[in-house]
Amino acid sequence: MAAIRRPEYSLFHAWTTQRRAQNRIQGLENDQGVWKEDRGRKVLRDGARWRIGNGKQVRLDVDPWLPKSNGFRPASVSSKGVGLRVCDVIDATQHVWKMEVIDTVMQEEDAKAVRLIPLPCLDMEDRWVWHFSNRGVYSVSSGYESALRLKRQGSAQGITGGESSMRDDDKKVWNKVWSLPVPNKIKVFVWKYINASILAWFDRLIDRWKGTNDGGYMLTLAAMIVWRIWKCRNEVLFNGVDPDPSQMVVVAVKEAEEFILAIREQIPKPRQLRMGSGELAQCWQKPACGKLKFNVDGAWVSRSNGLAEAGIVVRDSNGSFVVAHSLNLGVVGSPLCAEAMAWRAAFDFAVLLGLDSLVMEGDSQQLVRCIRAHE
């Protein structure tokens, strides 16, 4: 029977102990491993904001409601805007912003942020959301990332310093590391344990081999060797085993070759389309008999001004074309928002056609997940 190792010898225990020690140094946790109350409140205040519905609950000048990177509150508001509610700058009939009023009472940067906020077509109440999640729901991981961001910015009292993997100077290097052709567990290992000197070596190695004929294999092999060195170190430290260095390299080479082969086998082969009397390969599935399928796509046309467009194609259960529609969505804040606005436009188009049942299909898996999460 295999011996049961003491918990303090496990790699997970070592990592969590190290992480908690870092958190205590950074001021995020107390000695019991619990987040400090004042730090937790700061994190929540930093990431929570209002999502605008009818705008009746949100004060225009003091509440956090603008989706900006440098804080959610308006930078400043003129005397005419003091005391106003957000609903005072919304045309409740047309469901659009009163930009002539907003441009008068708010700064240009804040007015641009307002333009990016989509308004609901129905009378919906305002609600609190977590800004750093597409679903607007707080998660432990997003909260922790928000705490680290506050620490790097120095805006949370008592939180100083930073991890090497999160410094702005190392971002380019870490982007290269995350794109290495190696298993994810090795990427995480490099992220957690590699020091600055080895990171610089990785950077030079990547620049040397990337783009060459054998570059992918050599980078995979280098990462596998580093991983094997770490594994052998653990065997020596915890089990008293004296591994053979040459055998370590042999195992690393074998693992690298197996991983490269597995990647090649997973690459999907291009579909072959038969022409003439042959059958065309099916990429689009027909809806059920009597149903219409709406294929919808939103495009963020310009990152500079936020303009977006939508395209809608409708086909019947025989696969025959019925109608198509395209429209300008105006200014939106992100590609995901453009996809969501396109779906809303498709529903409006279905109502215009007098439909009470339809099948929707789009290419944004992220949007579909958000919709299903609220079902």
Side-chain angles (χ1 to χ4, degrees), residues 294-299 311 335-336 338-340 342-343 360-368:
F294 282 55
N295 284 92
V296 187
D297 190 25
L336 181 61
E339 293 283 356
W343 276 56
M360 293 279 289
E361 186 176 76
D363 60 356
S364 176
Q365 187 178 28
Q366 191 176 19
L367 176 62
V368 174

Side-chain angles (χ1 to χ4, degrees), residues 128-353:
W128 284 98
V129 296
W130 180 250
H131 177 77
F132 302 106
S133 169
N134 290 323
R135 294 172 53 193
V137 179
Y138 174 85
S139 65
V140 175
S141 59
S142 63
Y144 190 80
E145 288 298 324
S146 180
L148 291 179
R149 185 180 60 259
L150 284 174
K151 176 200 63 180
R152 294 193 300 272
Q153 294 174 350
S155 57
Q157 183 179 0
I159 301 180
T160 58
E163 294 180 341
S164 61
S165 62
M166 301 303 292
R167 293 173 186 166
D168 292 338
D169 296 340
D170 292 339
K171 282 185 177 180
K172 293 182 179 179
V173 182
W174 284 111
N175 287 336
K176 296 176 183 178
V177 172
W178 285 113
S179 63
L180 285 173
V182 296
N184 289 332
K185 66 178 182 180
I186 297 182
K187 295 178 183 178
V188 174
F189 160 74
V190 174
W191 173 61
K192 290 184 183 299
Y193 295 103
I194 293 302
N195 58 34
S197 59
I198 300 181
L199 181 62
W201 172 76
F202 253 111
D203 186 27
R204 293 192 297 270
L205 193 68
I206 293 172
D207 290 339
R208 177 180 176 181
W209 288 104
K210 198 169 186 179
T212 62
N213 294 334
D214 298 330
Y217 171 75
M218 295 303 297
L219 292 175
T220 303
L221 179 58
M224 291 292 188
I225 291 177
V226 173
W227 169 256
R228 273 291 131 196
I229 293 174
W230 170 258
K231 297 287 286 185
C232 290
R233 174 260 184 196
N234 290 341
E235 288 293 325
V236 174
L237 186 62
F238 299 124
N239 297 330
V241 177
D242 187 14
D244 182 4
S246 60
Q247 185 63 27
M248 176 200 69
V249 175
V250 170
V251 174
V253 171
K254 180 181 178 182
E255 290 180 342
E257 291 176 349
E258 290 178 348
F259 183 75
I260 293 294
L261 181 61
I263 290 179
R264 290 173 180 172
E265 291 178 350
Q266 291 178 0
I267 297 176
K269 297 180 179 179
R271 295 180 178 179
Q272 296 180 353
L273 299 180
R274 298 180 180 177
M275 307 301 291
S277 59
E279 182 181 357
L280 184 65
Q282 286 291 332
C283 300
W284 180 85
Q285 296 181 352
K286 300 176 182 179
C289 183
K291 298 285 186 179
L292 294 178
K293 174 178 278 192
F294 282 55
N295 284 92
V296 187
D297 190 25
W300 208 28
V301 179
S302 174
R303 292 181 178 271
S304 59
N305 53 26
L307 293 177
E309 295 180 353
I312 305 166
V313 177
V314 183
R315 286 178 279 193
D316 60 20
S317 56
N318 296 320
S320 301
F321 173 81
V322 177
V323 67
H325 181 48
S326 63
L327 70 159
N328 188 343
L329 299 175
V331 179
V332 300
S334 66
L336 181 61
C337 185
E339 293 283 356
M341 296 290 287
W343 276 56
R344 190 172 77 173
F347 284 120
D348 292 338
F349 188 47
V351 172
L352 182 64
L353 296 177

